[in-house]
Amino acid sequence: MACGFRRSIAGQLSRVLDLPPENLIKSISAVPVSRKEEVADFQLSLDSLLANNNHSSSDIQVQAKRLAEKLKCDTVVSEISTGRGTVNFKINRELLTKTVLQQVIEDGSKYGLKSELFSGVPQKKIVVEFSSPNIAKKFHVGHLRSTIIGNFIANLKEALGHQVTRINYLGDWGMQFGLLGTGFQLFGYEEKLQSNPLQHLFEVYVQVNKEAADDKSVAKSAQEFFQRLELGDAQALSLWQKFRDLSIEEYIRIYKRLDVYFDEYSGESFYREKSREILKLLDSKGLLKKTVKGTAVVDLSGNSDPSSICTVMRSDGTSLYATRDLAAAIDRMDKYNFDTMIYVTDKGQKKHFQQVFQMLKIMGYDWVERCQHVPFGVVQGMKTRRGDVTFLEDVLNEIQLRMLQNMASIKTTKKLENPQETAEKVGLAALIIQDFRSALLSDYQFSWDRIFQSRGDTGVFLQYTHARLHSLEETFGCGYLNDFNTACLQEPQSVSILQHLLRCLDI
């Protein structure tokens, strides 16, 4: 549809410029929709047509005006104007209205995906790693943004026809399990572990950390427990496996509330053996260096720049996060032969991934160019009425409770068969939309007041609008859309919506 409009514009430009239409179509782009004023729909940048860029801005502006004067309005284009080095085209509003609405009816839920812009895009194998909570800890809200953003990226790639593998790379290995194993032996209770596993493990972890800070023997016991894990001690592994299984059961229950799923639950533990192979490979390439403290490092700068040194092994020979990430990346390429692998984590891990990608490069894995890190800012100020909150389930429960109270206080709320389910869905939409409104790389302040606003760009208003439109559709059906009066949809707000719908096919 939108490509049809662009093809029509390209056809007229072709006759004037004596260039093939195919060479012009991709130079015609959609104009961003403005909230303040109605804008043109498409524009041609003169820069993209000029053989070289040695022209001044005034020369380009003159050429844009000359080109615009040679073009004529027709049944498709109702207005031609110029901008800064561009020729702008406004689509006939009656034709725009009819074409967009007819296409919406025809394509249904596939609207926007049948564009010719996507027809030539090859299907790719894409791996998306996101969420990645730490085993034996309650699901921290810090992992919420990774879950929301990663799920969105995976959904988008799938909608475009790519083969997507969703991986939850759990933090299920490392020194914290030495602390947790020791802590459970000292303070743990099997009954509490079975009845409320994550809460009890969290309490144990907090307590053992305090003890380790004051008592060196506890810290030493934790280090020894992790060494036993690395060496494959059956008793230590059995306790660790119990913690892992119980944690995953809890996580799956929370993911179900969020409507999120994964194709693979992986984890750092999968690569404890392969991380030794990584160390041998780094050593064989002359990249591994031992420090006076006994740790093993890789100098990525080549000149001992402290900011470019990555530690890959502790002094006791146990592996580190970076080592296991190297092993995981290599294993995934062997397993999935991916075209793209995307890591979705907070911006605090930016340097970590830069170092991991750099090490893969110098190890000879050129496919590292297919890996990318999507960083994001953190959520601040998430508190319940009881005070500070760090756990996602507390936030979800609070949202459901407050939404139920809001619904009960509004007289126009209809009687519902399952108000808890409705409150949960509306509340989750409110939570997700508030997150999407914030700039990806910016930290943002969580606001309970804003999340429940029923007007503006909020999840509550989005759900209300959807319910209202669905009600109208149930009442009147969709048949009337085959015979509608386009004059009723020419006010600025309607045109803005139509322009947004048009751009779904031209982004």
Side-chain angles (χ1 to χ4, degrees):
M1 176 192 63
C3 290
F5 290 147
R6 294 196 312 152
R7 188 177 291 106
S8 177
I9 295 169
Q12 187 176 170
L13 287 167
S14 171
R15 292 187 289 273
V16 172
L17 298 171
D18 195 26
L19 291 170
E22 293 74 20
N23 294 3
L24 295 165
I25 286 178
K26 290 188 177 180
S27 297
I28 302 167
S29 59
V31 178
V33 180
S34 171
R35 288 190 175 193
K36 297 180 180 179
E37 58 184 356
E38 187 177 337
V39 296
D41 299 294
F42 299 98
Q43 65 180 19
L44 173 76
S45 172
L46 268 292
D47 268 342
S48 65
L49 292 181
L50 298 175
N52 60 67
N53 293 322
N54 295 326
H55 300 270
S56 67
S57 57
S58 58
D59 288 341
I60 294 173
Q61 195 63 33
V62 169
Q63 291 187 53
K65 288 183 177 179
R66 285 178 181 171
L67 177 57
E69 289 169 359
K70 295 178 183 179
L71 300 170
K72 295 180 180 179
C73 296
D74 54 21
T75 55
V76 175
V77 177
S78 63
E79 186 179 308
I80 299 172
S81 60
T82 58
R84 293 184 178 180
T86 64
V87 179
N88 305 324
F89 303 88
K90 182 178 177 180
I91 302 299
N92 178 297
R93 291 296 174 244
E94 182 177 351
L95 178 63
L96 173 69
T97 306
K98 280 186 176 180
T99 309
V100 168
L101 292 183
Q102 286 172 352
Q103 197 73 40
V104 168
I105 296 167
E106 182 180 326
D107 291 350
S109 62
K110 296 294 183 182
Y111 180 79
L113 300 176
K114 296 182 179 180
S115 168
E116 291 181 20
L117 290 174
F118 299 136
S119 62
V121 177
Q123 289 191 1
K124 295 183 177 181
K125 296 176 183 177
I126 297 176
V127 172
V128 186
E129 179 198 301
F130 63 103
S131 193
S132 305
N134 295 312
I135 286 293
K137 294 182 182 179
K138 292 188 75 173
F139 199 128
H140 193 280
V141 294
H143 298 283
L144 174 63
R145 287 205 87 186
S146 175
T147 306
I148 291 173
I149 295 166
N151 191 54
F152 172 79
I153 291 171
N155 287 343
L156 184 62
K157 297 294 186 182
E158 276 187 349
L160 293 174
H162 299 300
Q163 181 182 330
V164 177
T165 301
R166 303 160 185 252
I167 294 180
N168 197 339
Y169 185 62
L170 302 167
D172 65 352
W173 204 251
M175 186 55 71
Q176 71 268 27
F177 286 95
L179 281 164
L180 192 61
T182 298
F184 191 78
Q185 290 172 342
L186 293 172
F187 316 115
Y189 294 93
E190 187 64 32
E191 300 81 6
K192 290 184 178 180
L193 180 66
Q194 295 299 328
S195 62
N196 195 346
L198 292 187
Q199 182 62 38
H200 183 52
L201 289 174
F202 172 71
E203 291 167 353
V204 168
Y205 188 71
V206 170
Q207 191 170 355
V208 74
N209 265 284
K210 289 179 181 178
E211 293 290 330
D214 299 329
D215 188 341
K216 289 184 179 179
S217 66
V218 174
K220 186 180 179 182
S221 295
Q223 190 175 17
E224 290 171 350
F225 189 94
F226 183 53
Q227 283 181 306
R228 287 167 56 201
L229 281 174
E230 288 258 298
L231 294 170
D233 178 81
Q235 187 178 6
L237 282 172
S238 176
L239 186 59
W240 167 84
Q241 188 68 53
K242 183 188 293 185
F243 295 162
R244 190 180 194 278
D245 292 344
L246 289 170
S247 297
I248 290 176
E249 284 180 20
E250 288 290 290
Y251 293 150
I252 289 173
R253 183 176 57 79
I254 294 172
Y255 287 129
K256 190 174 181 180
R257 291 182 70 176
L258 294 169
D259 197 22
V260 171
Y261 73 92
F262 293 91
D263 299 298
E264 178 183 309
Y265 279 88
S266 180
E268 295 179 62
S269 63
F270 284 52
Y271 303 103
R272 63 182 188 271
E273 296 293 336
K274 291 184 178 180
S275 63
R276 295 192 183 96
E277 297 173 18
I278 295 296
L279 292 171
K280 289 179 183 177
L281 183 58
L282 287 168
D283 194 31
S284 68
K285 291 180 176 290
L287 299 170
L288 204 64
K289 297 180 180 179
K290 283 287 185 73
T291 68
V292 292
K293 294 181 179 179
T295 60
V297 301
V298 176
D299 180 6
L300 296 170
S301 66
N303 56 16
S304 301
D305 178 0
S307 65
S308 298
I309 290 177
C310 182
T311 305
V312 292
M313 187 184 75
R314 292 188 180 89
S315 58
D316 62 5
T318 55
S319 61
L320 285 163
Y321 183 47
T323 328
R324 296 188 288 270
D325 261 7
L326 290 169
I330 295 167
D331 180 63
R332 290 171 190 172
M333 172 51 75
D334 292 340
K335 185 175 181 180
Y336 297 110
N337 190 28
F338 56 78
D339 297 294
T340 304
M341 181 159 64
I342 302 168
Y343 298 87
V344 186
T345 73
D346 70 77
K347 60 186 179 183
Q349 295 196 49
K350 183 176 180 181
K351 182 179 178 180
H352 165 77
F353 282 105
Q354 287 175 340
Q355 291 186 332
V356 167
F357 296 163
Q358 197 173 345
M359 279 192 283
L360 286 168
K361 182 74 174 176
I362 62 177
M363 288 167 73
Y365 296 108
D366 292 336
W367 49 258
V368 70
E369 302 296 334
R370 307 180 200 177
C371 301
Q372 65 182 98
H373 176 219
V374 177
F376 54 82
V378 299
V379 187
Q380 300 170 332
M382 260 190 180
K383 299 179 181 179
T384 65
R385 291 166 183 164
R386 298 185 302 276
D388 290 339
V389 62
T390 55
F391 302 129
L392 178 59
E393 192 161 26
D394 293 336
V395 174
L396 298 181
N397 292 339
E398 178 101 1
I399 284 175
Q400 185 188 55
L401 177 62
R402 290 199 188 195
M403 190 57 66
L404 279 168
Q405 292 171 343
N406 283 12
M407 288 161 54
S409 66
I410 299 172
K411 295 180 180 179
T412 55
T413 300
K414 295 180 179 179
K415 188 174 181 180
L416 302 168
E417 288 184 10
N418 192 337
Q420 285 79 15
E421 182 182 356
T422 301
E424 174 105 332
K425 289 181 178 178
V426 176
L428 283 175
L431 182 66
I432 291 169
I433 296 301
Q434 180 174 236
D435 193 275
F436 280 170
R437 286 189 65 193
S438 305
L440 182 64
L441 286 172
S442 300
D443 299 341
Y444 77 88
Q445 194 72 23
F446 182 85
S447 169
W448 286 106
D449 292 334
R450 189 167 65 247
I451 205 172
F452 292 117
Q453 284 177 357
S454 57
R455 286 288 180 268
D457 297 335
T458 67
V460 175
F461 186 63
L462 178 67
Q463 290 281 26
Y464 167 79
T465 303
H466 176 267
R468 178 66 179 145
L469 291 171
H470 186 67
S471 177
L472 289 170
E473 191 175 81
E474 281 187 333
T475 303
F476 299 104
C478 290
Y480 67 94
L481 288 176
N482 294 320
D483 183 22
F484 50 83
N485 184 357
T486 58
C488 297
L489 295 172
Q490 299 308 307
E491 74 277 8
Q493 281 187 321
S494 295
V495 171
S496 177
I497 292 172
L498 289 165
Q499 286 181 312
H500 277 294
L501 290 170
L502 175 67
R503 280 149 185 75
C504 285
L505 299 184
D506 244 88
I507 53 177

